[in-house]
Amino acid sequence: MNFEKLVDRLGSIDYSNLYHEDFFHTWDKTQEEIEAVFLVADSLRYLREQNISTKIFDSGLGISLFRDNSTRTRFSFSSACNMLGLEIQDLDEGKSQIAHGETVKETSNMISFMADVIGIRDDMYIGKGYTYMKDVSSYVKEGYDDGVLEQRPTIVNLQCDIDHPTQTMADMLHIIHEFGGAENLKGKKIAMTWAYSPSYGKPLSVPQGIIGLMTRFGMDVVLAHPEGYEVMLEVEEIAKKNAEKYGGKFTKTNSMEEAFKDADIVYPKSWAPFAAMEKRTELYGDGKFDEIDVLEQELLEQNASHKDWACTEELMKTTKDGKALYLHCLPADITGLSCEDGEVDESVFDRYRVPLYKEASFKPYIIAAMIFLQKMKNAEEALKELKEEAKPRLKK
Amino acid sequence: MNFEKLVDRLGSIDYSNLYHEDFFHTWDKTQEEIEAVFLVADSLRYLREQNISTKIFDSGLGISLFRDNSTRTRFSFSSACNMLGLEIQDLDEGKSQIAHGETVKETSNMISFMADVIGIRDDMYIGKGYTYMKDVSSYVKEGYDDGVLEQRPTIVNLQCDIDHPTQTMADMLHIIHEFGGAENLKGKKIAMTWAYSPSYGKPLSVPQGIIGLMTRFGMDVVLAHPEGYEVMLEVEEIAKKNAEKYGGKFTKTNSMEEAFKDADIVYPKSWAPFAAMEKRTELYGDGKFDEIDVLEQELLEQNASHKDWACTEELMKTTKDGKALYLHCLPADITGLSCEDGEVDESVFDRYRVPLYKEASFKPYIIAAMIFLQKMKNAEEALKELKEEAKPRLKK
Amino acid sequence: MNFEKLVDRLGSIDYSNLYHEDFFHTWDKTQEEIEAVFLVADSLRYLREQNISTKIFDSGLGISLFRDNSTRTRFSFSSACNMLGLEIQDLDEGKSQIAHGETVKETSNMISFMADVIGIRDDMYIGKGYTYMKDVSSYVKEGYDDGVLEQRPTIVNLQCDIDHPTQTMADMLHIIHEFGGAENLKGKKIAMTWAYSPSYGKPLSVPQGIIGLMTRFGMDVVLAHPEGYEVMLEVEEIAKKNAEKYGGKFTKTNSMEEAFKDADIVYPKSWAPFAAMEKRTELYGDGKFDEIDVLEQELLEQNASHKDWACTEELMKTTKDGKALYLHCLPADITGLSCEDGEVDESVFDRYRVPLYKEASFKPYIIAAMIFLQKMKNAEEALKELKEEAKPRLKK
């Protein structure tokens, strides 16, 4: 779609509830709201490619609140803020600390006097990350209502224990571009499958986010994992309902082969079992660090018994025409390169390197689009004006 | 006061000596200079509330030089710089290091090639922090005079061992707003009192800054603490002279009850005894770390014998109409919440949460106003122009 | 030269190959390209001194990728980015880690979605730093060609194992200003000499960069060091060829006295022997950390036998009129101040403090000029426009 079509389409749908609201989970949003994010992301990318300034802020802060290390999400958030005119201010809290109510309330307000948006990544403990984000949101809303804050900073979920909307929407926009439009996804099979990794305890937010989002596009979504690697039941429920509502399918299997068979898209990726993560959070809360070590050891052993769950060349051949689109949120554990046995064969990974990087390249635009729609009541007008003003990003 | 009145008043007073000067202690400044900071702070806040850009810099750096950890002061300084158009660049020196002349001279110049302002926090060692700030100031002045630096970066004291002007002026502006104008403060009783905290060695800059500033407004300032918790004598002298000059009172007591009695404003807060802090600095300079540990232990025990110094509901009832304005620089040690015994009852703190957050919200504007007045020769004209240009902060 | 002359001269030379290219080593560039950097640096400085905005970017990121600690280079790069309108985003990788191909390729792309320039400092291991920079460059070029990146970030070498172009060009611009023009340097003697320092393993990039650059100006360049402190042979070859081509001299000596005799400029500075650094890199690669410790001990002892290599008052008296221009990249090891025996007498250092700071003050402008020329096809037009627009940097 060209810029005019993107903006016209945006003008014809209802995204009004994104305005002044947070972005937590994709399933909180309507179909048109999800589409609006894609339309704005593509529009912003177009403007930037044309060397047209996309700044809507003259000044203001974007707060990055990361409760886990991250290079790529940090840079994506920075990039998104920068292109809109916000300066980044980092708040790095130790990842070992699960903050409590009063402290969070105070800190949330103290960092927000000039904050327009707060990007939060908190994926370490089941039942904690999303709760934390909602707390921050309610505290700054309170601060705004009480006249403490001049503006209400909105929240962008940069990964919680449940969903990872900026990742999965970047994945989806990549798919849309690869397949030439969302209208072409009906009936396409996507295999979200577990894969073996020598590292322990990867978050569940990606598989959960994927089944929660992709089932909205009429796709045939298959979730595959060994027994014991179940994801959160409530997200499976969401996936089921979406499939029904939007005319797609959601199925589960314990066979990677079955999932890959004739798949149009594959997303093989390691994650930790939900039940184990829940137990870990509990042990952590009780300060039982010895038992956490034991649990980690058990999980590594459990993982090791599933080394055959790998995205090999053989398996890739069984996909649609042997050419399924391979997805990953990166970094991947690559067999023979980053580890002895990993999620994917080096030759497979290599063949998809450019598409994988493109997949990642949508994330800054997705984040920027979320912020844009949180701040601009009339987004299509704002985009049109940017194009008309045509202020060069880099002086010509 | 509305914007026009703020700016008119600013035009009628003499703040010319703030231009191209540092802001170290409130008592270095005239009454009109202090008022100018309040007027500009309120004006900048008004503009921001109206979504009008307050940027006076097109580019330039604000250096934050923190010799102690800090979240809220860091964010306040960042916010102030951002709203004026300066980008933050952090210089984090280890807090354990008391830097010496040559190194400070070189570093001060090396970080200042594009620096318009340097915000310094150095409150750890008595006799060191303010000295350090003055050194940095003289070195960059020299660098500017020698043609090394294109502009002379001015200093904003973000807390030293003696004063904490951005905090106390934020406190004061909060009071002014709560009482409907500085003219209503005459004769009002403010109790700056010590309170018990389980943590050790809190800086004296807040109580010192408060008695040094509040005595300029004709208030009845009472400093209360247990025996042995004396503050710096030279600041007490300043408070006395201010009280005489400006028609107020400055008294001392060893009774928290006496201080709270009929008080209009209370500021109960822990601090370390000046004499002990002096000894600590000495021991530190001599590298006697064992003796520092012993000293800390002694001080904690000394503290513990004054657990009755707490801002309780009972004590609050004895204040004017039982409704004194409760102040704190945050974070407070809250009894039963952040510690077993602390500075304040949870129910008292809770009742004042919104005013406390508002109190804190003035700090970014106070800092921005200090920078504004250091850089704008004709501040009232600059403010008027910003309002007339009315460049939207966030695109409409 | 005034601004008009700078820009006119720029318009008359060919710097077109700087556009969209990296800046690795000075010897990769033509004489006119080197001159262009100086002309733009002086022009940008002039504009800034006139309070005229030098921003050519409306938004965009400058990535600082430091594989070693650094305060002054970090601030120089930040300053350069800020004055052009780029926001800094730091990527701090541990300095102990020699990254491998795949990871570098992925990371390079992941940080570059909105990156216009990447400043890299990687000087720790012989044979690694420059290689790393070239890798990053080729990976982001690939990313740009593949449509992953919207713009191709160019690289500025902020110090590698071979050259330190931003330092030596700042040194050179300082010399040009001190001697009243590059045309006055013909036949001037510059002594790049080793000097004793109690610290171990300083990079060779400065002496190498100096002999590689200064030999292009018809100067009499003398490299002096004790036996065993040889620099890279390939850079000596470059120096020789330059001397021939540009009508100067390049000689070597093992006598500091000989080098200083009648010198117009002296640059006494410690560095590690190339052979030892090569061995160290090897040991490091093999994980032989015990042997590294042994090597370091040996090198410290070797150093200690050359404590007489110091820039003393006596030695300074033997230079041209006893008044050679003293250069250093800072920080220097100052005898009796920062160490017992060091590179330079305190009284010598003190006498040259202001020129030394001025020398350093050129670095942000050199970096900014490199970026400017990488991004502006018609740099003289861009400079003229900035001057005509005359947007105030600080509101008047």
Side-chain angles (χ1 to χ4, degrees):
Chain A
M1 269 199 265
N2 65 25
F3 183 82
E4 279 64 34
K5 280 195 181 154
L6 290 168
V7 171
D8 283 351
R9 173 68 188 155
L10 187 63
S12 73
I13 64 179
D14 178 15
Y15 55 81
S16 55
N17 284 331
L18 294 175
Y19 185 62
H20 278 196
E21 278 306 320
D22 305 308
F23 205 110
F24 291 129
H25 301 150
T26 59
W27 44 86
D28 305 334
K29 308 298 178 189
T30 68
Q31 210 69 350
E32 295 197 335
E33 286 160 11
I34 294 289
E35 189 186 352
V37 174
F38 292 143
L39 293 168
V40 173
D42 277 343
S43 301
L44 291 174
R45 187 162 199 158
Y46 169 84
L47 291 174
R48 204 170 192 284
E49 284 170 352
Q50 303 299 314
N51 194 40
I52 295 174
S53 170
T54 50
K55 276 169 87 163
I56 52 171
F57 293 97
D58 152 85
S59 55
L61 298 178
I63 312 296
S64 79
L65 207 167
F66 281 60
R67 298 170 71 81
D68 197 357
N69 292 324
S70 164
T71 294
R72 56 201 77 220
T73 304
R74 185 181 296 280
F75 270 76
S76 289
F77 185 63
S78 294
S79 298
C81 284
N82 176 265
M83 73 180 288
L84 297 179
L86 295 175
E87 191 181 348
I88 282 287
Q89 183 68 24
D90 292 321
L91 178 69
D92 283 304
E93 301 199 53
K95 62 173 157 173
S96 63
Q97 165 197 12
I98 300 181
H100 294 292
E102 291 311 307
T103 310
V104 174
K105 185 182 275 194
E106 201 171 297
T107 304
S108 301
N109 275 275
M110 295 304 125
I111 63 175
S112 296
F113 296 129
M114 307 283 155
D116 287 292
V117 63
I118 307 178
I120 307 182
R121 182 173 175 194
D122 187 347
D123 58 357
M124 296 290 285
Y125 303 106
I126 287 289
K128 303 289 180 188
Y130 173 47
T131 306
Y132 176 77
M133 290 180 196
K134 277 195 305 187
D135 286 350
V136 172
S137 170
S138 73
Y139 297 144
V140 294
K141 187 170 183 314
E142 214 178 298
Y144 175 66
D145 293 341
D146 290 336
V148 172
L149 306 178
E150 247 75 78
Q151 69 295 314
R152 187 193 150 203
T154 44
I155 313 293
V156 172
N157 175 359
L158 297 175
Q159 187 169 6
C160 72
D161 50 325
I162 306 178
D163 196 6
H164 192 347
T166 63
Q167 178 65 49
T168 59
M169 288 186 71
D171 297 338
M172 192 65 208
L173 190 50
H174 173 57
I175 294 173
I176 290 172
H177 279 261
E178 291 288 320
F179 284 79
E183 62 278 14
N184 300 329
L185 298 180
K186 192 113 197 119
K188 291 285 183 295
K189 180 177 179 183
I190 175 168
M192 176 75 239
T193 97
W194 192 86
Y196 170 74
S197 151
S199 84
Y200 149 83
K202 301 211 173 184
L204 292 91
S205 54
V206 169
Q208 291 174 168
I210 289 292
I211 63 169
L213 177 64
M214 304 315 188
T215 43
R216 296 170 74 146
F217 292 83
M219 297 172 85
D220 173 8
V221 179
V222 183
L223 176 67
H225 55 75
E227 266 186 74
Y229 287 83
E230 280 70 27
V231 303
M232 289 173 76
L233 261 181
E234 63 189 88
V235 184
E236 288 194 6
E237 286 307 313
I238 288 163
K240 273 183 216 164
K241 282 184 191 151
N242 281 345
E244 279 167 37
K245 187 167 175 188
Y246 300 110
K249 274 168 72 182
F250 173 65
T251 51
K252 288 169 60 183
T253 171
N254 292 136
S255 157
M256 194 173 187
E257 286 71 22
E258 197 183 312
F260 264 56
K261 179 109 188 61
D262 292 324
D264 299 278
I265 306 163
V266 294
Y267 205 140
K269 199 212 158 297
S270 190
W271 67 79
F274 171 62
M277 287 299 93
E278 234 181 353
K279 191 175 167 195
R280 183 163 167 271
T281 301
E282 235 169 72
L283 291 174
Y284 192 90
D286 298 345
K288 295 180 178 166
F289 298 104
D290 289 355
E291 293 185 39
I292 290 176
D293 290 346
V294 173
L295 178 66
E296 296 196 0
Q297 212 46 52
E298 283 170 16
L299 285 168
L300 282 173
E301 280 164 32
Q302 186 184 345
N303 271 10
S305 66
H306 301 295
K307 289 193 181 172
D308 52 324
W309 284 70
C311 179
T312 60
E313 286 289 4
E314 289 67 43
L315 219 46
M316 281 304 287
K317 281 186 192 134
T318 69
T319 65
K320 177 68 73 56
D321 303 327
K323 290 183 176 169
L325 181 64
Y326 166 80
L327 301 183
H328 201 284
C329 53
L330 303 180
D333 288 309
I334 304 164
T335 301
L337 185 71
S338 52
C339 52
E340 211 176 321
D341 297 289
E343 298 169 314
V344 59
D345 278 5
E346 186 174 354
S347 59
V348 173
F349 189 84
D350 255 0
R351 196 162 62 245
Y352 288 93
R353 187 180 306 280
V354 173
L356 282 166
Y357 289 3
K358 279 191 184 160
E359 179 186 355
S361 77
F362 288 104
K363 204 192 268 185
Y365 293 104
I366 289 289
I367 299 173
M370 288 175 180
I371 301 172
F372 198 95
L373 286 157
Q374 288 174 345
K375 302 300 172 181
M376 295 283 100
K377 204 179 176 75
N378 190 335
E380 70 269 18
E381 268 315 306
L383 286 168
K384 273 187 213 163
E385 274 176 36
L386 286 171
K387 179 146 189 283
E388 274 156 34
E389 289 171 21
K391 192 178 173 214
R393 186 188 74 81
L394 168 60
K395 200 180 172 64
K396 274 175 300 194
Chain B
M1 271 199 266
N2 65 24
F3 183 80
E4 278 65 34
K5 281 193 180 155
L6 290 168
V7 171
D8 282 351
R9 173 68 189 154
L10 187 63
S12 72
I13 64 178
D14 179 14
Y15 56 83
S16 55
N17 285 331
L18 293 175
Y19 184 62
H20 279 196
E21 279 304 320
D22 305 308
F23 206 110
F24 291 130
H25 301 150
T26 60
W27 44 86
D28 305 333
K29 308 299 178 189
T30 68
Q31 210 69 351
E32 295 196 335
E33 287 160 13
I34 294 289
E35 188 185 352
V37 174
F38 292 143
L39 293 168
V40 173
D42 277 344
S43 301
L44 291 173
R45 188 162 198 158
Y46 168 85
L47 291 173
R48 204 169 192 285
E49 282 170 354
Q50 303 298 313
N51 194 39
I52 294 174
S53 170
T54 50
K55 275 170 88 163
I56 53 171
F57 293 96
D58 152 84
S59 56
L61 297 178
I63 313 296
S64 79
L65 207 168
F66 281 60
R67 297 169 70 83
D68 197 358
N69 292 324
S70 165
T71 295
R72 58 200 77 220
T73 303
R74 184 181 296 279
F75 270 76
S76 289
F77 184 64
S78 295
S79 298
C81 285
N82 176 266
M83 74 180 287
L84 298 179
L86 295 174
E87 190 180 348
I88 281 289
Q89 182 68 25
D90 292 321
L91 179 68
D92 284 303
E93 303 198 50
K95 64 174 159 173
S96 63
Q97 165 198 14
I98 301 182
H100 295 290
E102 291 310 306
T103 311
V104 175
K105 184 182 277 193
E106 201 171 296
T107 305
S108 300
N109 275 276
M110 296 304 125
I111 63 175
S112 296
F113 296 129
M114 307 282 156
D116 287 292
V117 64
I118 307 178
I120 307 181
R121 181 172 178 196
D122 187 347
D123 57 357
M124 296 290 286
Y125 303 106
I126 286 290
K128 303 288 179 189
Y130 173 47
T131 306
Y132 176 77
M133 289 179 196
K134 276 194 306 185
D135 286 350
V136 171
S137 170
S138 72
Y139 296 144
V140 295
K141 188 173 183 311
E142 215 178 297
Y144 175 66
D145 292 341
D146 290 337
V148 172
L149 307 178
E150 247 75 78
Q151 69 295 315
R152 188 193 151 203
T154 44
I155 313 292
V156 172
N157 174 359
L158 297 174
Q159 185 167 8
C160 72
D161 51 323
I162 306 178
D163 197 6
H164 193 347
T166 64
Q167 178 64 49
T168 59
M169 289 187 70
D171 297 338
M172 191 66 208
L173 191 50
H174 173 58
I175 293 174
I176 290 171
H177 279 261
E178 291 288 320
F179 284 79
E183 63 277 13
N184 300 329
L185 298 179
K186 193 114 197 117
K188 291 286 183 294
K189 180 178 179 183
I190 174 168
M192 177 73 241
T193 97
W194 191 87
Y196 170 74
S197 151
S199 85
Y200 148 83
K202 302 212 173 186
L204 291 91
S205 54
V206 168
Q208 292 174 168
I210 289 292
I211 64 169
L213 177 64
M214 305 314 187
T215 43
R216 295 171 75 146
F217 292 84
M219 297 172 84
D220 174 7
V221 179
V222 182
L223 176 68
H225 55 73
E227 267 186 75
Y229 286 83
E230 280 70 25
V231 302
M232 289 173 76
L233 259 181
E234 62 188 90
V235 185
E236 288 195 5
E237 285 308 313
I238 288 164
K240 273 183 215 163
K241 281 184 191 152
N242 281 345
E244 278 168 35
K245 189 168 174 189
Y246 299 110
K249 273 167 73 180
F250 174 64
T251 52
K252 288 170 59 182
T253 170
N254 293 135
S255 157
M256 195 174 186
E257 287 71 21
E258 197 182 312
F260 264 58
K261 179 111 189 59
D262 292 325
D264 298 279
I265 304 162
V266 295
Y267 204 140
K269 198 211 158 300
S270 191
W271 67 80
F274 171 61
M277 286 299 93
E278 234 181 353
K279 193 176 166 195
R280 182 163 167 271
T281 300
E282 237 168 72
L283 291 174
Y284 191 90
D286 297 345
K288 296 180 178 167
F289 299 104
D290 289 356
E291 294 186 38
I292 290 176
D293 289 347
V294 173
L295 179 67
E296 295 196 0
Q297 213 44 52
E298 282 170 16
L299 286 168
L300 282 173
E301 280 164 31
Q302 188 184 343
N303 271 12
S305 67
H306 301 295
K307 290 194 181 173
D308 52 323
W309 284 70
C311 180
T312 60
E313 287 288 5
E314 291 66 43
L315 219 46
M316 281 304 287
K317 281 187 190 131
T318 69
T319 65
K320 174 69 73 55
D321 303 328
K323 289 182 176 170
L325 180 65
Y326 166 80
L327 299 184
H328 201 285
C329 53
L330 302 179
D333 288 310
I334 304 165
T335 302
L337 184 69
S338 52
C339 53
E340 209 175 322
D341 297 289
E343 297 168 314
V344 60
D345 278 6
E346 187 175 353
S347 59
V348 173
F349 188 85
D350 256 0
R351 196 161 62 246
Y352 287 93
R353 186 179 306 278
V354 174
L356 281 166
Y357 288 4
K358 280 190 184 162
E359 179 187 356
S361 77
F362 287 104
K363 203 193 269 186
Y365 293 104
I366 288 288
I367 299 173
M370 288 176 180
I371 301 173
F372 197 95
L373 286 157
Q374 288 174 346
K375 302 299 172 183
M376 294 282 101
K377 205 180 176 75
N378 190 334
E380 70 268 19
E381 269 314 305
L383 287 167
K384 272 187 212 163
E385 274 174 37
L386 287 171
K387 179 148 190 284
E388 274 155 35
E389 290 170 21
K391 193 181 173 211
R393 187 188 74 81
L394 169 60
K395 201 179 171 62
K396 275 175 297 196
Chain C
M1 272 200 265
N2 65 24
F3 183 81
E4 279 66 32
K5 282 195 180 154
L6 290 168
V7 171
D8 283 352
R9 173 69 189 153
L10 187 64
S12 73
I13 64 178
D14 179 14
Y15 56 82
S16 54
N17 285 331
L18 294 175
Y19 185 62
H20 279 195
E21 278 305 321
D22 306 307
F23 206 111
F24 292 129
H25 301 151
T26 60
W27 44 86
D28 305 334
K29 308 299 179 189
T30 68
Q31 211 71 350
E32 294 197 334
E33 286 160 13
I34 295 288
E35 188 185 352
V37 174
F38 292 144
L39 292 168
V40 173
D42 277 345
S43 301
L44 291 173
R45 187 161 199 159
Y46 168 85
L47 291 173
R48 204 170 193 284
E49 283 170 352
Q50 301 300 312
N51 195 38
I52 294 174
S53 170
T54 50
K55 275 169 87 163
I56 53 172
F57 293 96
D58 153 84
S59 55
L61 297 179
I63 312 296
S64 79
L65 206 167
F66 281 59
R67 297 169 72 82
D68 196 358
N69 292 323
S70 164
T71 294
R72 58 200 78 219
T73 304
R74 184 182 297 280
F75 271 76
S76 289
F77 185 64
S78 294
S79 298
C81 285
N82 176 266
M83 73 181 288
L84 298 178
L86 294 175
E87 191 180 348
I88 282 289
Q89 183 68 23
D90 293 319
L91 178 69
D92 285 302
E93 303 199 52
K95 62 173 156 173
S96 64
Q97 166 197 12
I98 300 180
H100 295 292
E102 291 311 306
T103 310
V104 174
K105 185 182 276 193
E106 199 171 297
T107 305
S108 301
N109 276 276
M110 296 304 125
I111 63 175
S112 296
F113 296 128
M114 307 282 156
D116 288 291
V117 64
I118 307 178
I120 307 181
R121 183 174 175 194
D122 187 347
D123 58 357
M124 296 290 284
Y125 303 106
I126 286 291
K128 303 288 180 189
Y130 174 46
T131 306
Y132 176 77
M133 289 180 197
K134 276 194 306 184
D135 286 351
V136 172
S137 170
S138 72
Y139 296 144
V140 295
K141 188 171 182 315
E142 214 178 297
Y144 175 67
D145 292 342
D146 289 338
V148 172
L149 307 178
E150 247 73 80
Q151 69 296 314
R152 186 192 152 204
T154 43
I155 313 292
V156 172
N157 174 358
L158 297 174
Q159 187 169 5
C160 72
D161 50 324
I162 306 178
D163 196 8
H164 193 346
T166 63
Q167 178 66 46
T168 59
M169 289 188 69
D171 298 338
M172 192 65 208
L173 191 50
H174 173 58
I175 293 174
I176 290 172
H177 280 260
E178 292 287 320
F179 284 79
E183 63 277 13
N184 300 328
L185 298 180
K186 193 110 197 122
K188 291 286 184 292
K189 180 178 179 184
I190 174 167
M192 177 74 239
T193 97
W194 191 87
Y196 171 75
S197 152
S199 86
Y200 149 83
K202 301 212 174 185
L204 291 92
S205 55
V206 169
Q208 292 175 167
I210 289 293
I211 64 169
L213 177 64
M214 304 315 188
T215 43
R216 297 171 72 146
F217 292 84
M219 297 172 85
D220 174 7
V221 179
V222 183
L223 176 66
H225 55 75
E227 267 186 73
Y229 286 84
E230 280 69 27
V231 302
M232 289 173 76
L233 260 182
E234 62 187 88
V235 184
E236 289 195 5
E237 285 308 313
I238 288 164
K240 275 182 214 163
K241 281 183 192 151
N242 281 345
E244 278 167 36
K245 187 168 174 189
Y246 299 110
K249 274 168 72 183
F250 173 64
T251 51
K252 288 170 59 183
T253 171
N254 292 136
S255 157
M256 195 174 186
E257 286 71 24
E258 198 183 311
F260 264 57
K261 180 109 187 62
D262 292 324
D264 298 279
I265 305 162
V266 295
Y267 205 138
K269 198 210 159 299
S270 192
W271 67 80
F274 171 62
M277 287 298 93
E278 235 181 354
K279 193 176 165 193
R280 183 164 167 271
T281 301
E282 238 169 71
L283 291 174
Y284 191 90
D286 298 345
K288 295 181 179 166
F289 298 104
D290 289 356
E291 293 185 38
I292 290 176
D293 290 347
V294 173
L295 179 67
E296 295 196 359
Q297 211 47 50
E298 283 170 14
L299 285 167
L300 283 173
E301 279 163 33
Q302 187 184 346
N303 270 12
S305 66
H306 301 297
K307 290 195 180 172
D308 52 324
W309 284 70
C311 180
T312 60
E313 286 289 5
E314 290 66 42
L315 219 46
M316 282 304 287
K317 281 187 191 131
T318 69
T319 65
K320 177 69 72 55
D321 302 328
K323 289 184 175 168
L325 181 64
Y326 167 80
L327 300 184
H328 201 284
C329 54
L330 304 179
D333 288 310
I334 304 165
T335 302
L337 185 70
S338 52
C339 53
E340 210 175 321
D341 297 288
E343 298 169 314
V344 60
D345 277 6
E346 186 174 354
S347 59
V348 173
F349 188 85
D350 256 1
R351 195 159 65 246
Y352 287 92
R353 186 180 305 281
V354 173
L356 282 167
Y357 288 4
K358 279 189 183 162
E359 180 187 355
S361 77
F362 287 104
K363 203 192 271 186
Y365 293 105
I366 289 289
I367 298 172
M370 288 175 179
I371 301 172
F372 197 95
L373 286 157
Q374 289 173 347
K375 302 300 172 181
M376 295 282 101
K377 205 178 176 77
N378 190 335
E380 70 268 19
E381 268 315 304
L383 287 168
K384 272 187 212 163
E385 273 175 37
L386 287 170
K387 180 148 188 283
E388 274 156 35
E389 289 170 23
K391 192 179 174 214
R393 187 189 75 81
L394 168 60
K395 201 180 171 64
K396 274 176 298 195

